[in-house]
Amino acid sequence: MIPDTTASWTPAERAAFARRRQSRNLAIGLVLGALVVLFFGISMVKMGPGIARNQARAAAAADAGKPMAPAQP
Amino acid sequence: MRQSTASPPVTAFAEWRDYFALLKPRVMTLVVFTAFCAMIAAPGTLHPFIAFTGILCIAVAAGASGALNQWYEADIDALMKRTAKRPLPAGKMAAGEALAFGIALSVGSVAIMGVALNWVAAFWLAVSVLFYVLVYTVWLKRRTPQNIVIGGAAGAFPVICGWAAVTGDTPLLAWILFGIIFLWTPPHFWALALFMEADYSKAGVPMLPVTHGLRHTRIQILLYSLLLVPVTIAPAVLGLTGWAYGGTAVTLGIIFIALAIKVWRNTATLAADMAPEKQLFKFSLLYLACLFGALVADRLLLP
C-alpha cells in the first residue's frame, strides 16, 4: 500500500521508503526465479523419462527405416 | 477487516522481512521436521527433487496458515508482549496485504502439492490450512480454554501430508504419528502458558491457566502426558516400528511423565518460581525431536 501523503515526507523518509521498496522488489525477483527453477525441475522429473523414452523409440524407428509407432499410454 | 491506521507513512511499505515474519518461521521449523520424518518413515521412495517440493509445499502452507492467523489476530497480538512486534500490530504492513499473501501461498502450495506429488497429500494440506485458520483461529481459539487441544490437531496434519506425499494414502502409523503431536501439544503449550499466564490474561485469550487456574492446568498437563506416552509406544507394540524407536519412546516417555509429575506437584503462582514448567516446556521440544529422529533412525538403520 503506498500512502497518499508522500508529498509531506522528509528526504530521510523518502530514502527509507525507496530502500524498503528496493529490498522487496529484489525479494519478489528471487521468489519468481525460484518458482521458475521449481517448475522446471518438476517438469523434468515428471516428463523427462517419457521424453527420453520417445526419443529412444524415434531413434530405433529411424534406424529400422520404419515410421514411428504411436506412443503407448 | 483489521486495518493498521497508526502506522507512520514510511513503514506502510512492508519489507521482505515483514512478509517472512508473517510465516512464523519458528513454528514452520517443527512442521517441516515432523513432515520430513514422516516422509522418510513412510514406505516407498520419491525423487529427491519431488520430495524437496513436497517439504516446501508443507512449509509454505504452514507459513500461509501463520500469515492468515496473524491477519485475524492482529488485535490480540497488539496486547501481548510476545507478539506485539509482529508486522501487523507493529504497523509495518496493511492487513489486506497479509490476507492476500496468506491466501496466495495457501492456494499455491496446495496446487503444487497436487500437481507435483499427489492429490491425497494436497487434500490433507488444504485441510490443515483450513483447520488451523477456520476451526482453530476463527472459531475456537477465543471461545474455549481447550483451544490448544484443537490447535494440536492443526499442528499434527503436516505429518499426514508428509506420509501421503510418499504413499498416496494415510495408514494407521501415520495417524498414530498424528496422535503423538496432537497429544504432545497440550502439555507443551500449557507448560508455556503457565509461566506466560499474565500475557494471555491481558489479551483476553481463554487459555486454561486464565480460565481454570494453575492447579487445574497442572492436572491437565499430567493427564495429557499420561495419555501421550502410551500412544508414542504404540507403534513399537503393534510391530509398526522396531526396537530402536520403541526403546527411545519408553525412555523419553518416563522422563516426560516424571517432569509432568514435578509440574503437577508444583504450587508456584509466580513465573519466576516455575522452574518445573520451564523444564517441561524445554524438554517437550527435545522429546518430540528425539522421538521423530528415532523413527527415522529405526527406518533407515535397521533392516
Side-chain angles (χ1 to χ4, degrees), chain B residues 191-277:
Chain B
L192 172 74
L194 278 170
F195 56 86
M196 299 288 281
E197 185 230 347
D199 230 14
Y200 285 110
S201 189
K202 197 173 149 195
V205 178
M207 290 295 275
L208 203 60
V210 180
T211 58
H212 288 68
L214 305 184
R215 184 80 226 125
H216 184 82
T217 307
R218 289 183 171 116
I219 293 169
Q220 292 274 327
I221 286 176
L222 181 61
L223 289 177
Y224 272 96
S225 303
L226 291 172
L227 283 173
L228 166 67
V229 173
V231 175
T232 63
I233 299 167
V237 174
L238 295 171
L240 301 171
T241 59
W243 58 264
Y245 170 83
T248 309
V250 170
T251 311
L252 293 175
I254 290 168
I255 301 171
F256 199 99
I257 289 178
L259 290 176
I261 290 172
K262 273 176 78 178
V263 168
W264 174 62
R265 292 178 64 181
N266 193 16
T267 52
T269 52
L270 294 173
D273 301 327
M274 292 188 185
E277 284 78 3

Side-chain angles (χ1 to χ4, degrees), chain B residues 100-162:
Chain B
F101 183 62
I103 291 174
L105 290 187
S106 307
V107 173
S109 57
V110 170
I112 294 175
M113 182 69 119
V115 172
L117 287 112
N118 62 67
W119 288 100
V120 176
F123 168 78
W124 287 111
L125 195 62
V127 168
S128 75
V129 174
L130 292 173
F131 191 91
Y132 186 74
V133 175
L134 298 180
V135 178
Y136 173 65
T137 304
V138 175
W139 184 23
L140 293 174
K141 184 169 178 181
R142 301 190 197 200
R143 284 182 176 80
T144 167
Q146 291 291 321
N147 48 20
I148 283 305
V149 181
I150 314 299
F157 274 116
V159 175
I160 297 292
C161 299

Side-chain angles (χ1 to χ4, degrees), chain A residues 2-26:
Chain A
I2 300 174
D4 54 7
T5 54
T6 51
S8 62
W9 286 6
T10 64
E13 283 175 335
R14 280 182 193 283
F17 180 82
R19 202 170 48 245
R20 281 170 178 277
R21 186 166 56 186
Q22 192 180 22
S23 85
R24 193 163 104 172
N25 288 347
L26 187 66

Side-chain angles (χ1 to χ4, degrees), chain A residues 1-3 5 9 13 16-17 20-21 23-24 27 35 37-39 41-42 45-46, chain B residues 3 9-16 18-19 47 49-50 53 56 97 112 115-117:
Chain A
M1 184 182 73
I2 300 174
T5 54
W9 286 6
E13 283 175 335
F17 180 82
R20 281 170 178 277
R21 186 166 56 186
S23 85
R24 193 163 104 172
L35 277 176
V37 172
L38 185 72
F39 291 142
I42 293 169
V45 174
K46 289 273 175 191
Chain B
Q3 182 80 28
V10 174
T11 58
F13 201 89
E15 262 186 292
W16 70 268
D18 302 322
Y19 285 94
H47 187 285
F49 192 82
I50 296 295
T53 305
L56 188 68
E97 279 185 75
I112 294 175
V115 172
L117 287 112

Side-chain angles (χ1 to χ4, degrees), chain B residues 27-108:
Chain B
V27 176
M28 210 196 271
T29 315
L30 181 72
V31 165
V32 167
F33 174 73
T34 53
F36 176 71
C37 292
M39 278 174 108
I40 293 178
T45 52
L46 276 180
H47 187 285
F49 192 82
I50 296 295
F52 165 77
T53 305
I55 291 288
L56 188 68
C57 288
I58 293 170
V60 170
S65 308
L68 293 170
N69 169 275
Q70 287 187 48
W71 165 75
Y72 190 79
E73 295 194 334
D75 57 338
I76 54 173
D77 280 351
L79 301 174
M80 290 194 284
K81 197 170 69 182
R82 186 171 63 86
T83 52
K85 286 182 183 164
R86 285 178 175 173
L88 287 171
K92 292 177 181 170
M93 186 186 286
E97 279 185 75
L99 176 65
F101 183 62
I103 291 174
L105 290 187
S106 307
V107 173

